[in-house]
Amino acid sequence: MLYTLHLTNRCNLRCGYCYVDHGETDMSIETARAAVDLAGRGAGRAGLIFFGGEPLLCRGLIHGTVAYARAREKENGCRYTFKITTNGLLLDDDFLEFARREGFLIALSLDGVKEAHDAHRHGADGRGCYDQVVDAAGRLLKRMPYSPALMTVRPDTLPLYTAGAQALFELGFTYVIASLDYSADWRDGHLPALQHQYELLAGLYERKTLAGDKFYFGPFETKISSHVNGRDCFRERCELGLRQLSVGPDGALYPCVQFVGDPAFRLGDVRRGIDESARQALYRRSEREKPGCDVCGIRMRCNHTCACLNRQATGSIDKVSPMLCAHERIALPIADRLAERLYRKGSAPFIQKQYSGFYPHWV
């Protein structure tokens, strides 16, 4: 089970696509400890993810929470793992050494190339932060070479999608997760450019695979896996509210990151525990097939079941974004053709990754 701790609503950036309601609210150490206790209740293993705002604004809280979790391990028998998602501006050598020692996974938000990154990720003064984040990336990868980069694509940065992915690989990232901002103003006119970018990305993926590189690139990996193995990857991984919970600064529990603060999706709190009836009801609602999707030929491989994406784009977990639908119809055939080419060419890294169940150890 994963618990995402929203340590603070504060942030040192004002990113154009951020959905967090910035304020001065921070989580208390008592709430964080209660979250640790809840996560470890009856569990052999639990993941704690530090999130924000910018979680490194609460560095002391992170240290205190980790120390408490390590002490609780000896009492409750639960092994805790840690992850943090950060914009990188406060990622200094002291924290990197602490994170390395404690076995953290650090995910860095970096939107590819400077032009794309600085278009939306900037401070209150409007200045971009690309150069600072690239410096942080160098320090991070020196100590933790398998750290993932998180890349967001919007309509205005779409022409830089492939160049951005290439730039992240050249910086040394081997795990790149790229996703569209579905809340942006996507239109039908963007679809030809989106298809062109995915064709270019498929070429990049093929070249890296044939060169023997070990890497992970989302969204291709899950789409290729669903093609190769004939299974519904997205439904297996989502299960809204069942596999992961988000903890608000006040200790309230929510099914995922974009629901924090919405009382309609509250699933209990860290002190009194999970409201199982509310959690199961929400899961059943999320699992219901969406209107129009029941007759779609790719519905079992499509990401339309992601409640976060649906809410982000349409305001409802029950409605699928037309852009998400268009994206899947474009990306899936390209991923399938890519997989077929690599199989025909007998690519050992591809066959090992997709047919032998191998992924780099950080997946």
Side-chain angles (χ1 to χ4, degrees):
M1 185 76 172
L2 296 175
Y3 285 78
T4 299
L5 277 60
H6 293 247
L7 302 184
T8 181
N9 288 340
R10 295 181 293 127
C11 191
N12 47 1
L13 290 180
R14 292 296 180 267
C15 301
Y17 50 73
C18 183
Y19 52 83
V20 175
D21 182 16
H22 295 299
E24 296 300 315
T25 305
D26 290 353
M27 182 178 288
S28 68
I29 185 61
E30 291 77 18
T31 297
R33 287 172 176 171
V36 170
D37 289 338
L38 179 62
R41 195 175 298 167
R45 188 179 183 89
L48 300 178
I49 303 172
F50 298 111
F51 204 71
E54 171 49 48
L56 285 178
L57 290 169
C58 298
R59 186 174 306 198
L61 179 57
I62 295 172
H63 281 261
T65 304
V66 171
Y68 182 76
R70 291 298 186 223
R72 290 292 291 146
E73 284 180 334
K74 301 173 183 177
E75 301 171 16
N76 63 17
C78 177
R79 173 64 178 173
Y80 294 95
T81 60
F82 306 101
K83 178 181 176 180
I84 185 170
T85 299
T86 176
N87 61 35
L89 298 185
L90 301 175
L91 199 58
D92 60 19
D93 290 340
D94 287 344
F95 186 81
L96 286 169
E97 178 55 31
F98 163 76
R100 186 197 61 76
R101 188 171 64 249
E102 295 293 347
F104 269 62
L105 178 67
I106 299 179
L108 184 67
S109 297
L110 179 52
D111 289 347
V113 295
K114 183 179 180 68
E115 183 181 350
H117 186 92
D118 285 351
H120 299 287
R121 300 187 64 80
H122 46 72
D125 60 1
R127 294 182 181 179
C129 60
Y130 177 80
D131 293 335
Q132 295 166 270
V133 180
V134 167
D135 287 344
R139 293 192 296 273
L140 171 62
L141 293 172
K142 182 178 180 180
R143 291 172 173 81
M144 303 175 187
Y146 299 114
S147 299
L150 309 179
M151 174 184 174
T152 300
V153 180
R154 304 189 91 233
D156 60 315
T157 62
L158 177 59
L160 301 169
Y161 193 172
T162 305
Q166 176 72 53
L168 292 173
F169 286 126
E170 289 177 354
L171 282 173
F173 287 100
T174 53
Y175 190 4
V176 174
I177 303 174
S179 57
L180 302 192
D181 174 12
Y182 288 102
S183 67
D185 186 21
W186 293 97
R187 302 186 180 185
D188 288 347
H190 294 117
L191 299 184
L194 183 65
Q195 177 155 356
H196 177 62
Q197 287 299 315
Y198 273 118
E199 295 286 5
L200 294 177
L201 287 164
L204 172 62
Y205 189 105
E206 184 172 1
R207 290 191 299 275
K208 286 181 65 63
T209 302
L210 294 175
D213 296 346
K214 291 184 178 180
F215 69 99
Y216 181 103
F217 179 67
F220 275 165
E221 303 296 354
T222 51
K223 296 186 185 310
I224 290 173
S225 182
S226 69
H227 176 62
V228 169
N229 299 301
R231 69 174 187 264
D232 179 4
C233 297
F234 291 112
R235 289 176 189 262
E236 287 177 0
R237 294 196 309 157
C238 182
E239 297 187 356
L240 184 66
L242 297 188
R243 292 196 178 200
Q244 61 178 329
L245 289 169
S246 285
V247 184
D250 63 352
L253 299 173
Y254 302 91
C256 204
V257 294
Q258 295 207 27
F259 299 88
V260 172
D262 188 337
F265 291 93
R266 182 169 172 152
L267 300 178
D269 66 70
V270 292
R271 294 172 181 84
R272 285 172 290 198
I274 302 167
D275 183 338
E276 284 294 346
S277 61
R279 180 160 75 161
Q280 292 297 331
L282 179 62
Y283 170 68
R284 290 193 297 270
R285 175 185 167 189
S286 175
E287 281 292 285
R288 286 198 296 265
E289 194 60 274
K290 309 301 183 283
C293 293
D294 55 333
V295 296
C296 179
I298 63 170
R299 70 184 185 281
M300 298 305 292
R301 300 179 59 207
C302 171
N303 207 11
H304 73 289
T305 59
C306 178
C308 264
L309 291 183
N310 290 338
R311 189 172 188 268
Q312 179 190 65
T314 69
S316 171
I317 69 171
D318 306 308
K319 297 178 182 177
V320 179
S321 160
M323 183 58 196
L324 189 151
C325 180
H327 173 274
E328 299 297 277
R329 290 181 179 278
I330 287 171
L332 275 166
I334 293 173
D336 290 354
R337 292 193 294 270
L338 168 62
E340 289 160 5
R341 288 198 304 272
L342 288 168
Y343 183 80
R344 286 197 305 269
K345 292 180 179 181
S347 167
F350 172 76
I351 292 170
Q352 184 182 35
K353 181 193 288 187
Q354 298 296 342
Y355 290 85
S356 302
F358 169 80
Y359 277 91
H361 66 81
W362 28 262
V363 174

